[in-house]
C-alpha cells in the first residue's frame, strides 16, 4: 500500500509523542511492505509564532490533499489565563475539524488489564469496561454564534444543532453498535435544552432503522455519574460536542490515564487521528510524556483510514506486551513499578517498536 500521511505535531508534548507515532508507522511500513510518504505542517501556538495564524493556509491545503493526518496536541499556558486573546491555538484545531468536515469523533475507552492499578477508580469496577464514544465534533456551542454585549458584561454561546448533523453521526454510531454488543446509549439534556430535545427526537427516529440495537437515552448529569459508578453498563455512547468533550475526559480514568487514549475524527473524506490528551506544557520537553496514545492513534488510522486491520492489531498487541513486561511512563506508574521499569518517552517508544 502506498499512502501519504501528514504529521501535525502541534504544541507542547505533541512534538514528542508524534515522533513515536511516526516511528511506529515507519516500522509497520517496513514489516508489511507498505510505502508511507510523510509531510509535516504547523498548527496551534507554534503556527501563531511562525505565521500569526493558528491554522496557516499551507497546513489546510496539505490536510485537504493527504490520505490521513496524525496530530499531536494543541494549546499554550500563555493563553489559558488570558481570556481576551483574540488569536488562540485552539482555533486552529476547531477550524481544521470544520474545514475537513470531521463530524464524528470516535474515542474508544478500553482498559489494558495491566493498568488496573493506574486509575483512581477501584479495579473491580473497571475490569472488563469497553466503551466506544461517538462525540459530534462540528456543531454545538463550539460553533454556534458567540456574542458579547457592548458593555462586555453579558456573553452568550449559541447551542445549535440541525437534524442532519445528528442523523449522520447517529448512523455511524448505530453501525458500530451492530458490530459490538448491540447497545447504544444516547446522552443529552432533553429535560432542559431545546437542542437536546431535537437530538433525542432525531435519535429516536434513526433507532427505528436499527431494530437489532437496544437504545437507551440518558441525561448528561446522570451519565457522568453512571460512568464512574458502573462503566461496564455502557457500550456505544453517542453524544453532542460539549457533553462528549467532558465525558471522554472523565472516561480517561476508566482507561487508567489520559496518556493512553487515542481518537479518530472522521467525516466524508480524510481521517484525523490524535491522542485525547492536551499539550501538557508542564512536562513538555522533559522527555517523559507517554507516547502510547499517539501510537494507538496510529493503530486507529491504519484500521479506519487504510483498512489495515492486521497491522492495527499488531500495534495494539505490541503495546499490550510492553505493558505486560512492566514498562511504565510516569503517568501510568504506580507503587509497584520498580525504578528500572520506569521509562522515558523514548524508551517506551523503542520497546513498543521492538515488540512489533
Ligand atoms: C479535545 C480538546 C479540544 C476540544 C480543545 C483543545 C479545543 O479538549 O479535543 O477534546 O474541546 O474539543
Ligand atoms: Mg477535550
Amino acid at each position: 500500500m502506498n499512502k501519504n500521511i501528514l504529521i501535525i505535531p502541534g504544541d507542547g508534548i505533541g512534538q514528542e509523542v508524534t515522533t513515536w507515532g511516526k516511528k511506529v508507522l515507519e516500522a509497520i511500513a517496513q514489516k508489511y511492505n507498505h510505502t508511507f510518504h510523510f509531510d509535516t505542517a504547523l498548527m496551534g501556538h507554534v503556527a501563531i509564532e511562525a505565521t500569526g495564524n493558528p491554522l496557516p493556509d499551507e497546513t489546510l491545503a496539505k490536510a485537504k490533499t493527504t490520505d490521513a493526518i496524525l496530530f499531536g496536541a494543541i494549546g499554550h499556558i500563555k493563553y489559558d489565563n488570558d481570556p481576551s486573546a483574540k488569536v488562540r491555538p485552539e482555533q486552529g484545531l476547531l477550524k481544521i475539524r470544520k474545514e475537513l468536515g470531521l463530524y464524528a469523533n470516535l474515542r474508544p475507552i478500553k482498559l489494558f488489564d495491566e493498568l488496573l492499578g493506574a486509575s483512581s477508580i477501584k479495579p473491580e469496577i473497571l475490569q472488563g469496561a469497553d466503551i466506544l464514544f461517538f462525540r459530534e465534533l462540528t456543531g454545538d456551542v463550539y460553533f454556534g454564534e458567540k456574542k458579547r454585549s457592548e458593555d462586555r458584561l453579558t456573553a452568550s454561546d449559541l447551542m445549535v444543532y440541525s437534524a442532519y448533523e445528528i442523523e449522520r453521526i447517529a448512523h455511524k454510531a448505530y453501525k458500530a453498535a451492530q458490530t459490538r454488543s448491540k447497545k447504544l446509549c444516547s446522552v443529552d439534556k432533553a429535560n432542559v435544552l431545546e437542542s437536546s430535545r431535537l437530538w433525542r427526537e432525531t435519535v429516536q427516529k434513526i433507532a427505528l432503522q436499527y431494530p437489532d440495537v437496544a437504545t437507551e437515552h440518558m441525561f448528561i448529569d446522570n451519565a457522568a455519574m453512571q460512568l464512574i459508578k458502573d462503566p461496564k453498563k455502557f457500550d456505544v455512547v453517542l453524544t453532542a460536542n460539549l457533553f462528549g468533550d467532558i465525558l471522554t475526559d472523565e472516561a480517561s480514568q476508566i482507561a487508567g490515564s489520559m496518556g493512553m487514549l487515542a481518537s479518530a475524527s472522521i467525516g466524508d473524506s480524510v481521517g484525523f487521528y490524535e491522542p485525547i490528551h492536551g499539550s501538557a506544557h508542564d512536562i513538555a520537553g522533559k522527555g517523559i510524556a507517554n507516547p502510547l496514545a499517539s501510537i494507538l492513534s496510529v493503530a486507529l488510522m491504519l484500521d479506519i483510514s487504510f483498512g489495515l486491520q492486521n497491522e492495527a492489531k499488531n500495534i495494539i498487541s505490541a503495546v499490550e506486551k510492553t505493558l505486560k513486561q512492566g514498562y511504565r511512563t510516569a503517568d501510568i506508574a504506580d507503587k509497584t513499578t520498580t525504578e528500572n521499569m520506569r521509562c522515558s518517552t523514548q524508551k517506551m517508544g523503542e520497546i513498543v517498536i521492538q515488540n512489533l
Side-chain angles (χ1 to χ4, degrees):
M1 186 173 277
N2 200 325
K3 292 284 181 193
N4 294 312
I5 299 170
L6 179 64
I7 313 257
I8 307 182
D11 301 324
I13 59 168
Q15 305 276 347
E16 294 153 69
V17 299
T18 48
T19 298
W20 289 95
K22 180 177 177 209
K23 283 187 200 277
V24 165
L25 280 165
E26 284 165 343
I28 287 285
Q30 201 179 22
K31 177 168 173 188
Y32 292 88
N33 248 321
H34 300 303
T35 310
F36 297 142
H37 304 279
F38 296 99
D39 196 357
T40 56
L42 295 177
M43 191 163 95
H45 171 68
V46 288
I48 297 176
E49 296 284 285
T51 70
N53 182 352
L55 178 62
D57 293 345
E58 191 193 340
T59 301
L60 190 56
K62 284 182 178 180
K64 283 186 171 165
T65 51
T66 190
D67 296 314
I69 301 165
L70 180 67
F71 173 62
I74 208 149
H76 194 279
I77 21 166
K78 189 169 126 185
Y79 304 87
D80 294 348
N81 292 316
D82 178 13
S84 68
K86 288 251 156 12
V87 179
R88 316 179 64 84
E90 290 81 2
Q91 291 161 345
L93 182 58
L94 299 181
K95 183 159 177 217
I96 204 168
R97 287 174 177 170
K98 196 71 171 178
E99 289 278 339
L100 300 177
L102 304 168
Y103 60 82
N105 184 215
L106 280 62
R107 296 188 161 182
I109 311 280
K110 196 171 176 189
L111 180 76
F112 289 92
D113 278 343
E114 294 71 29
L115 295 184
L116 269 173
S119 172
S120 50
I121 307 172
K122 291 192 198 99
E124 62 271 28
I125 294 195
L126 293 179
Q127 204 155 29
D130 181 356
I131 308 174
L132 177 57
F133 277 90
F134 279 79
R135 167 191 176 195
E136 201 288 329
L137 204 57
T138 52
D140 207 341
V141 283
Y142 274 72
F143 295 94
E145 192 187 1
K146 295 179 186 300
K147 279 203 217 152
R148 194 56 102 81
S149 64
E150 241 160 68
D151 65 7
R152 317 265 321 141
L153 296 177
T154 306
S156 65
D157 300 87
L158 186 66
M159 183 177 263
V160 53
Y161 267 115
S162 296
Y164 81 93
E165 295 175 298
I166 305 166
E167 283 162 10
R168 61 187 180 180
I169 187 166
H171 280 297
K172 285 215 187 303
Y174 271 102
K175 289 202 173 94
Q178 286 181 318
T179 69
R180 294 169 53 102
S181 62
K182 300 191 164 46
K183 263 171 45 181
L184 181 146
C185 177
S186 173
V187 175
D188 61 34
K189 186 73 184 169
N191 51 344
V192 177
L193 303 171
E194 196 56 34
S195 55
S196 275
R197 285 192 273 273
L198 175 67
W199 183 279
R200 191 170 289 214
E201 215 173 277
T202 309
V203 174
Q204 280 167 343
K205 270 187 216 145
I206 305 284
L208 300 175
Q209 300 173 38
Y210 301 89
D212 53 330
V213 176
T215 305
E216 184 181 7
H217 296 272
M218 207 181 269
F219 297 136
I220 175 69
D221 46 351
N222 185 24
M225 185 270 283
Q226 300 286 346
L227 193 58
I228 292 297
K229 190 177 164 218
D230 188 12
K232 273 176 280 213
K233 77 149 135 233
F234 294 94
D235 192 76
V236 170
V237 176
L238 166 64
T239 193
N241 203 346
L242 183 63
F243 297 155
D245 179 45
I246 299 167
L247 276 189
T248 53
D249 262 32
E250 183 190 358
S252 71
Q253 277 309 296
I254 297 165
S257 161
M258 286 276 275
M260 296 299 299
L261 288 191
S263 87
S265 301
I266 54 174
D268 299 317
S269 55
V270 68
F272 185 95
Y273 300 85
E274 59 170 316
I276 90 157
H277 63 66
S279 51
H281 278 272
D282 50 331
I283 60 164
K286 295 189 179 156
I288 58 170
N290 184 349
L292 294 180
S294 183
I295 290 171
L296 291 168
S297 297
V298 162
L300 284 177
M301 175 192 292
L302 296 175
D303 179 1
I304 298 173
S305 280
F306 303 160
L308 297 173
Q309 276 80 28
N310 286 335
E311 286 81 340
K313 279 192 199 125
N314 192 174
I315 294 177
I316 295 168
S317 317
V319 167
E320 216 153 36
K321 183 165 175 201
T322 305
L323 295 171
K324 270 209 183 84
Q325 290 167 332
Y327 295 102
R328 298 284 185 275
T329 41
D331 60 310
I332 49 174
D334 63 19
K335 307 188 281 292
T336 65
T337 314
T338 54
E339 221 30 65
N340 58 334
M341 286 296 157
R342 290 181 185 263
C343 42
S344 61
T345 311
Q346 173 170 355
K347 173 105 181 268
M348 194 63 144
E350 280 168 358
I351 306 275
V352 172
I353 287 173
Q354 249 172 48
N355 286 334
L356 272 176

